[in-house]
Amino acid sequence: LLALAVTPLLGQMQTTFDTDIQILERLAEERYAEGDLQRAADLYYEIATKQIDERAQAKALFTSAWLLQLTGDSSRPIDLLTRSLRLDPEQPFDSSLYDRNFELLYRQALDIALRERRRAATEATHEGVAHLQAGRDTQARASLEEALVLDADNATALYNLALLDLRIGALPKALGDFERVVSLTYKDSGAEMNGLRARSLVGIGLIYQQQGRQQDAEQSFLEPTRADPKETSAWKSLGLLQLNTKHYAAATTPLQRAAELLPTDRTVIIALVESLDKSGRAGQACLTLNGFLNQHPADAELWQQLAALEESRGNTEAAILALESSITADQENHSGVGLVSAVRLAT
């Protein structure tokens, strides 16, 4: 009698400790064993609505879709399968366990789910790039990482995440992501992917440069110039590297190419003038600087630099004209350059 009294009590305690999901799973298994596929499918759908873990939710939706397909339902299974695969497209699928119709349904749903995930990843990437450009690094990282969860092969998200890591000094992480972008885009001849690959190679080169691997950096800068002769960042980075390593004559060619592509880039012009001057072509350096100043006459500092170049060549008259232009450009001495030029002119 005692045993009869205790047994129901223990069963009641066990039920109390069971979660709602465990109870539903047990009911679904019972209905399936009884052949009530419709009720089993409904129970698995209810389980999916209660699951917090996305993979568990995807599994329950998948099972519900399969059971509904067995009942002859021709509309709901594709929707449930798509929702399942959108949550977890990597879940295993053994075609030997299902009939041909369900296998075809699965492949159709997987295609739809992957397209939807890629579209969502693209939207998250655009948000991440906007945050990155606005200097909102935390939000940028969140959006870009969300994009990569949705589409691990999103090269644009990877590239921008690498840029973010490069900016904060996380060089190993940035290097790995840049290298993965190169790998993902290697066989893609489209303009957008070519550009991403080229800029990633430049990023790799910049990291090598920071690590003191100058030869590796040079090769990394050279590769995109061969693949895309209009890749401005590669020409600029290559020229600046060669200038910094005092290979002045070698620096001239990439810097000239960069100046053609970036005619208003002051950094490029200054570097090109230095490479020309220090490789024995002071006359060409003066012509280059003159050409830039004709388009930017308010740059008092560069007028002063031109005066020094002309003076070193013995062109006193040209040097005086350049100093006068420097004073004119900084008449109120905001930068202090005008005063220095005036003193030099007086002496």
Side-chain angles (χ1 to χ4, degrees):
L1 288 173
L2 180 61
L4 290 173
V6 170
T7 302
L9 179 60
L10 288 174
Q12 189 176 28
M13 289 175 63
Q14 180 65 48
T15 303
T16 302
F17 285 109
D18 279 348
T19 67
D20 288 347
I21 290 175
Q22 288 173 325
I23 294 170
L24 289 171
E25 285 175 341
R26 190 159 55 248
L27 286 172
E29 289 168 5
E30 289 172 0
R31 298 295 85 77
Y32 174 73
E34 293 168 359
D36 189 350
L37 301 182
Q38 180 66 56
R39 180 59 182 150
D42 291 342
L43 285 165
Y44 275 111
Y45 180 80
E46 188 176 351
I47 290 168
T49 65
K50 293 180 180 295
Q51 289 285 7
I52 298 174
D53 180 75
E54 287 192 347
R55 289 189 175 182
Q57 186 180 356
K59 183 179 178 182
L61 287 170
F62 189 99
T63 305
S64 180
W66 172 60
L67 291 171
L68 284 173
Q69 194 259 351
L70 291 179
T71 68
D73 191 321
S74 60
S75 58
R76 290 183 65 200
I78 183 66
D79 176 59
L80 295 180
L81 265 182
T82 301
R83 288 171 60 186
S84 169
L85 293 166
R86 190 164 55 234
L87 288 169
D88 181 16
E90 300 297 326
Q91 56 187 298
F93 179 79
D94 184 350
S95 59
S96 66
L97 299 176
Y98 306 97
D99 61 31
R100 179 61 176 165
N101 288 335
F102 189 74
E103 182 183 353
L104 292 174
L105 205 63
Y106 165 82
R107 299 194 183 284
Q108 182 184 353
L110 181 61
D111 185 57
I112 296 169
L114 290 176
R115 284 203 308 270
E116 290 178 355
R117 285 175 67 94
R118 283 193 291 267
R119 184 165 56 249
T122 299
E123 291 173 1
T125 300
H126 289 158
E127 290 176 4
V129 171
H131 287 311
L132 188 61
Q133 291 172 342
R136 298 186 293 267
D137 289 1
T138 302
Q139 296 95 319
R141 183 176 297 279
S143 293
L144 293 169
E145 288 179 347
E146 178 189 349
L148 290 170
V149 168
L150 291 165
D151 180 8
D153 292 340
N154 187 314
T156 304
L158 267 174
Y159 170 76
N160 283 282
L161 191 58
L163 278 186
L164 179 56
D165 285 324
L166 180 61
R167 190 157 79 187
I168 65 173
L171 300 188
K173 177 68 166 57
L175 180 60
D177 283 344
F178 279 136
E179 288 174 338
R180 180 153 164 71
V181 174
V182 172
S183 176
L184 286 171
T185 60
Y186 193 75
K187 293 183 179 180
D188 194 324
S189 58
E192 182 181 356
M193 292 300 106
N194 262 339
L196 274 181
R197 181 166 62 254
R199 292 192 295 276
S200 294
L201 285 165
V202 171
I204 291 169
L206 291 173
I207 293 171
Y208 286 160
Q209 195 172 352
Q210 291 187 49
Q211 294 173 338
R213 300 164 59 182
Q214 306 299 344
Q215 288 186 337
D216 289 335
E218 184 172 339
Q219 288 304 311
S220 195
F221 294 145
L222 271 171
E223 188 173 338
T225 66
R226 293 166 181 153
D228 182 4
K230 292 184 179 180
E231 180 46 53
T232 55
S233 60
W235 289 115
K236 180 177 179 178
S237 298
L238 177 60
L240 291 175
L241 171 66
Q242 292 173 332
L243 183 66
N244 291 335
T245 54
K246 302 186 186 310
H247 295 106
Y248 301 117
T252 300
T253 299
L255 286 172
Q256 284 177 327
R257 184 64 178 138
E260 291 170 6
L261 296 167
L262 301 165
T264 62
D265 190 316
R266 192 174 186 272
T267 301
V268 169
I269 297 300
I270 291 172
L272 175 56
V273 167
E274 183 181 354
S275 71
L276 289 167
D277 181 38
K278 291 185 176 178
S279 60
R281 288 174 280 180
Q284 194 174 346
C286 289
L287 287 172
T288 299
L289 200 47
N290 250 315
F292 183 78
L293 284 166
N294 285 336
Q295 301 299 317
H296 304 85
D299 197 324
E301 188 178 347
L302 288 189
W303 280 116
Q304 195 176 87
Q305 185 176 337
L306 177 60
L309 280 172
E310 294 289 13
E311 188 176 3
S312 70
R313 298 175 64 218
N315 293 338
T316 305
E317 186 176 343
I320 291 171
L321 289 171
L323 286 172
E324 289 174 345
S325 295
S326 177
I327 295 168
T328 301
D330 191 25
Q331 288 182 5
E332 298 182 9
N333 198 38
H334 288 304
S335 65
V337 174
L339 180 59
V340 173
S341 297
V343 171
R344 286 183 60 189
L345 191 59
T347 57

